[in-house]
Amino acid sequence: MKQISILKVAITIAALAYSFCACNEHKKAIIIAEIDGQAISENELNTLIKQELFDELTRIYEIKKKALEQLINVKLIQAIANEKQMSYQQFIDYYTENKMKNCGIDSLLKQYKMSTILQLRDTNMYTVPTHSPTAEFPRYYQLKGAIMSELLDSLKRGKDIKQYLYPPKSPSIDLSKLHTYYRGNQKSDVTFITISDFDCESCIHSHRLYDSIYNKYKDRVKFGYIHYSAMPTLGQIASDAADSQGKFWSFHDSLYVHKGYIDSSAIFNIAKSIGLNIDQFKKDIKRQDRKSKIESTINQLVLNGVYATPTIMINGRLIVDSNSKKEICHLIDEELAK
């Protein structure tokens, strides 16, 4: 995942000013304060801190995500314990002690590459040789953890595990104000937006996944693409110039499969290969208004809590760096069924 941090004071002030004005639309809102009779509504407060509320919900989601993973692990182990008519803890002790007895401690330490034991005290970290007296107890429990981790990995390979826990919906993003390129079913009520960067390693690796999802749902879903990076890049500006000739998606696909650095030679070779009018292409690359649209969109995404690529958005729900086609398709199917 490529992380980006952009702090633009002028834009933030403008956003806050907009937030204060938004409260005028909520005449029946709950009043939480007054200044000389002038009311301050709860809606006004929530609008002002909408990003902080979203960040808190995201933190809670991460906690739930970790807890769900642990619960899945418990369920997998409990199922085997039940077959052996043991409690959860009894099975763990039985399985790990048998493994240590049958394989031998030294063999397992070598197998799991545990030549030292990592210990933490206060903010300091220490490494202790596995065969030293100090390491005797932590070695046992870390070895026990490694054995169970290996068992869980093997159990998961044989199970159809589906997770339907999704991140919270982000504060509403007005897509009409973002420079977005669309394809697919333009009349669909379900919109799949990819927020990505041609130069991002994770984005390049995810392109094939998102392309396969497009091919599966292109007749039923409206697909969009939005540029995002620290600042407008040559690849973004060039693909936008190609859009003026109706060739954005061809240029987009060519950039994602391009090997190596995206320089002027690369973009002109792609432009020629997809049949662009090169003279027009050169003029469009230099157009300041198109560059400004890309930059403005990047700034708006920052204000709406987007800090990394790739990010996808399905009907307003942000999903950061998801590589599970099964989970993404499940969410799309849910939206299509509404």
Side-chain angles (χ1 to χ4, degrees), residues 30-141:
I30 297 172
I31 305 303
I32 58 172
E34 289 183 342
I35 304 174
D36 291 337
Q38 183 179 3
I40 298 176
S41 72
E42 186 176 29
N43 285 337
E44 181 181 352
L45 178 63
N46 289 340
T47 301
L48 184 63
I49 61 171
K50 64 179 182 178
Q51 186 58 54
E52 287 80 0
L53 292 174
F54 174 66
D55 291 343
E56 189 64 20
L57 288 173
T58 301
R59 187 186 69 82
I60 294 170
Y61 160 73
E62 291 297 335
I63 293 172
K64 291 172 72 175
K65 186 178 178 181
K66 291 177 182 177
L68 177 59
E69 186 65 33
Q70 187 60 37
L71 185 57
I72 289 171
N73 291 343
V74 169
K75 294 286 186 181
L76 290 170
I77 298 299
Q78 188 65 62
I80 303 178
N82 290 342
E83 290 176 4
K84 296 187 176 294
Q85 296 183 329
M86 295 180 178
S87 69
Y88 176 81
Q89 190 59 51
Q90 283 174 335
F91 173 76
I92 290 176
D93 293 340
Y94 161 80
Y95 184 83
T96 54
E97 286 170 13
N98 269 353
K99 185 88 172 179
M100 291 181 199
K101 180 180 178 181
N102 294 333
C103 297
I105 298 293
D106 289 340
S107 176
L108 288 173
L109 289 174
K110 185 176 181 180
Q111 178 184 334
Y112 298 130
K113 299 179 180 179
M114 294 172 62
S115 58
T116 58
I117 301 296
L118 190 64
Q119 295 288 284
L120 179 67
R121 177 169 173 75
D122 194 14
T123 58
N124 299 314
M125 298 178 69
Y126 304 89
T127 54
V128 182
T130 52
H131 291 290
S132 68
T134 306
E136 180 180 356
F137 292 112
R139 178 187 66 198
Y140 171 77
Y141 289 108

Side-chain angles (χ1 to χ4, degrees), residues 24 27-28 38 46 123 136 156 229 238 246 260 276 291 316 324:
N24 293 328
K27 296 180 180 178
K28 296 183 179 179
Q38 183 179 3
N46 289 340
T123 58
E136 180 180 356
K156 288 175 181 177
S229 55
L276 290 181
K291 297 176 187 176
S324 171

